[in-house]
Amino acid sequence: MKDNSFRTEINSIPSHPIELKDRILTTGSCFAQQFGDWLQGNKFNVISNPFGTTYNPISIHKNLLDTLTSKLNESLFVEQDSIWKHYDYHSQWWASEMKNLIDQIHKQQSEVSQLLKKSNVVIITYGTAWVYVHKAEKKIVSNCHKASTTLFEKRILTVDEIVDSFSDLHEELKKVNSDVRFILTVSPVRHIKDTLQLNSVSKAALRLACDSIVNKYDKVDYFPSYEIMMDDLRDYRFYERDMIHPTVEAFDYISQKFSDQYFPADVVSFVEKWKNLKQALQHKPFHPSSSQHQLFLKELLTKLKSIKEVSLDEEINLVQSQLTNA
């Protein structure tokens, strides 16, 4: 029979399942933040991108590694307009005094270290293989903080550099958490400021590195976010107006593919139930005290209390507070 399909769908291959009880950490590009927020929104136990947006693999791995040792390179602090920042960290980490910033970062490192030691799943999203090297320190930085370009040298990572960097992280983390597993993915967000040609080179380096890592280690999967966007959706209508970021519809499609690959049947069932409950919780009535809305709240409260897979205490308390006879 002739195949009349006009697209190439990437079918998910079932992998080791992710359960609601699993402890998950996402890290990396802005796509990692999206993924983490989506999982949190579905009641998974997730820490989403705790060090902020980080694009290159070396910096992603280094931030995680440094949490295990509380390491902080003090030569990479920079003061700009009386504000202190650090080249290894996103601009969300800042303070008016260097000591305060050190305390902030160490506090976050300590919290993330404890989470890493307990996490079942670490999801890493690589954004680009292009890096900036601080010339004076000869160190790859995560964020240039709009400092003068004369301070940095731009270059692309080799596949071996990425694999070796991951290997260092893998070795150290396995010492304190032998059960942890990794899911690697390449962000479908296009880095066109590097030109489309060099964006392709960058994504190719990331993809080759992921393939090498997956073949080298057990408990490391690859999820094809990039391929789903490039080869399955493959249409500009799935990009925002900037022609760089995937639309909400594209992300929903990619996240559904993730669900197909990693969520067992009971989790899929819960996510669907929770989707309907979330919609009900977002309902904004014109007349909150009306008998019709009060009946709606009572029925919603019964449904919320029937959920046993996760704690919904916050949502239950919210609904109870809206009942006029509560």
Side-chain angles (χ1 to χ4, degrees):
M1 182 176 178
K2 185 179 178 180
D3 184 1
N4 291 318
S5 174
F6 289 96
R7 54 187 277 260
T8 306
E9 184 173 358
I10 296 177
N11 295 311
S12 300
I13 301 172
S15 302
H16 187 80
I18 293 177
E19 306 284 355
L20 287 165
K21 67 178 184 297
D22 285 336
R23 293 177 292 273
I24 306 167
L25 185 144
T26 71
T27 187
S29 75
C30 53
F31 199 71
Q33 183 72 49
Q34 263 188 301
F35 240 88
D37 292 347
W38 169 69
L39 288 167
Q40 280 182 334
N42 282 301
K43 289 297 180 178
F44 286 84
N45 186 4
V46 181
I47 298 300
S48 180
N49 234 7
F51 293 112
T53 303
T54 311
Y55 295 104
N56 79 78
I58 302 297
S59 293
I60 293 170
H61 301 156
K62 185 177 185 301
N63 281 347
L64 293 177
L65 260 176
D66 287 350
T67 65
L68 300 175
T69 60
S70 297
K71 184 178 178 182
L72 185 59
N73 189 337
E74 297 197 5
S75 65
L76 291 178
F77 281 97
V78 58
E79 186 181 17
Q80 299 173 327
D81 298 324
S82 302
I83 296 295
W84 284 93
K85 299 175 185 177
H86 195 284
Y87 286 129
D88 276 343
Y89 294 92
H90 190 270
S91 55
Q92 73 185 60
W93 302 101
W94 64 272
S96 56
E97 294 183 14
M98 181 175 164
K99 180 183 180 302
N100 291 341
L101 181 55
I102 291 173
D103 291 343
Q104 283 182 37
I105 294 174
H106 278 321
K107 182 175 184 294
Q108 184 71 347
Q109 285 180 329
S110 176
E111 292 176 0
V112 176
S113 175
Q114 295 306 310
L115 291 166
L116 271 177
K117 292 171 183 176
K118 299 175 183 177
S119 292
N120 304 88
V121 184
V122 174
I123 302 173
I124 300 178
T125 303
Y126 300 127
T128 181
W130 286 100
V131 295
Y132 289 87
V133 181
H134 194 283
K135 291 179 181 178
E137 297 298 324
K138 296 182 173 57
K139 299 287 186 183
I140 292 171
V141 300
S142 173
N143 197 314
C144 295
H145 298 303
K146 298 182 179 179
S148 172
T149 56
T150 61
L151 298 174
F152 306 96
E153 174 193 356
K154 184 179 179 181
R155 69 174 181 85
I156 195 164
L157 296 169
T158 67
V159 172
D160 285 345
E161 283 181 298
I162 298 170
V163 174
D164 290 345
S165 174
F166 178 87
S167 296
D168 291 340
L169 170 63
H170 186 272
E171 180 181 351
E172 292 304 314
L173 187 50
K174 283 289 185 176
K175 289 177 182 177
V176 295
N177 184 353
S178 60
D179 293 328
V180 69
R181 62 191 181 93
F182 294 85
I183 298 172
L184 307 181
T185 192
V186 173
S187 170
V189 177
R190 308 157 85 203
H191 289 251
I192 60 175
K193 68 177 182 179
D194 299 320
T195 75
L196 283 173
Q197 297 92 320
L198 294 180
N199 175 68
S200 294
V201 173
S202 166
K203 298 294 189 182
L206 297 175
R207 187 63 191 91
L208 281 167
C210 287
D211 191 60
S212 294
I213 292 167
V214 169
N215 289 325
K216 185 176 181 179
Y217 295 105
D218 294 331
K219 294 187 178 180
V220 181
D221 289 343
Y222 176 76
F223 175 69
S225 300
Y226 179 72
E227 289 83 351
I228 293 169
M229 190 71 193
M230 295 296 110
D231 297 310
D232 188 345
L233 297 178
R234 199 179 179 81
D235 194 304
Y236 275 106
R237 66 194 165 113
F238 294 112
Y239 284 98
E240 297 286 2
R241 293 183 66 180
D242 63 8
M243 296 299 161
I244 294 173
H245 294 86
T247 61
V248 171
E249 292 77 14
F251 179 79
D252 287 347
Y253 183 81
I254 293 170
S255 59
Q256 181 59 53
K257 290 291 187 181
F258 186 90
S259 172
D260 293 344
Q261 183 162 335
Y262 290 103
F263 294 173
D266 61 325
V267 173
V268 172
S269 175
F270 166 78
V271 169
E272 188 58 35
K273 284 189 295 184
W274 176 238
K275 177 183 177 181
N276 295 329
L277 289 172
K278 276 197 299 185
Q279 290 175 344
L281 286 164
Q282 291 165 0
H283 176 64
K284 303 293 183 185
F286 286 112
H287 305 290
S289 60
S290 68
S291 58
Q292 182 181 13
H293 182 64
Q294 289 294 304
L295 178 60
F296 166 81
L297 290 175
K298 289 176 182 177
E299 291 175 348
L300 176 56
L301 184 62
T302 299
K303 292 176 183 177
L304 290 171
K305 288 182 175 180
S306 72
I307 298 295
K308 304 302 180 185
E309 294 93 337
V310 298
S311 172
L312 296 180
D313 289 348
E314 182 179 341
E315 290 80 7
I316 288 170
N317 290 336
L318 175 64
V319 172
Q320 286 179 327
S321 71
Q322 297 174 53
L323 287 167
T324 55
N325 60 349

